[in-house]
Amino acid sequence: MKVATEHFNYQQAMKYLGFKSPVTLREYIQSGLPIIKIGKSKRISKSDIDKFMADHRVIATQDEGGENHD
């Protein structure tokens, strides 16, 4: 029986987010992604990841992309 987990280790969090670089995960954590630390164990909550990503959602505009319309 497979149990769904709410708390990921770093490898699971990176897989959930769709990247393989621990450097990228560290950047997310430095940008405010909360971690759960108990002793030497570190976990990241799935709901915290979802909230972090939603909070950092940006809607692109036609002016983005380095084009200069002046």
Side-chain angles (χ1 to χ4, degrees), residues 29-40:
I29 292 167
Q30 290 171 348
S31 294
L33 177 62
I35 62 168
I36 299 162
K37 210 169 156 184
I38 301 172
K40 293 182 181 181

Side-chain angles (χ1 to χ4, degrees), residues 23-61:
V23 173
T24 303
L25 183 60
R26 270 195 303 272
E27 289 172 357
Y28 280 34
I29 292 167
Q30 290 171 348
S31 294
L33 177 62
I35 62 168
I36 299 162
K37 210 169 156 184
I38 301 172
K40 293 182 181 181
S41 176
K42 295 178 184 176
R43 297 287 184 263
I44 301 175
S45 166
K46 179 183 177 296
S47 58
D48 283 343
I49 292 172
D50 293 339
K51 182 178 182 331
F52 177 82
M53 296 303 284
D55 289 347
H56 288 82
R57 181 175 291 143
V58 176
I59 299 183
T61 64

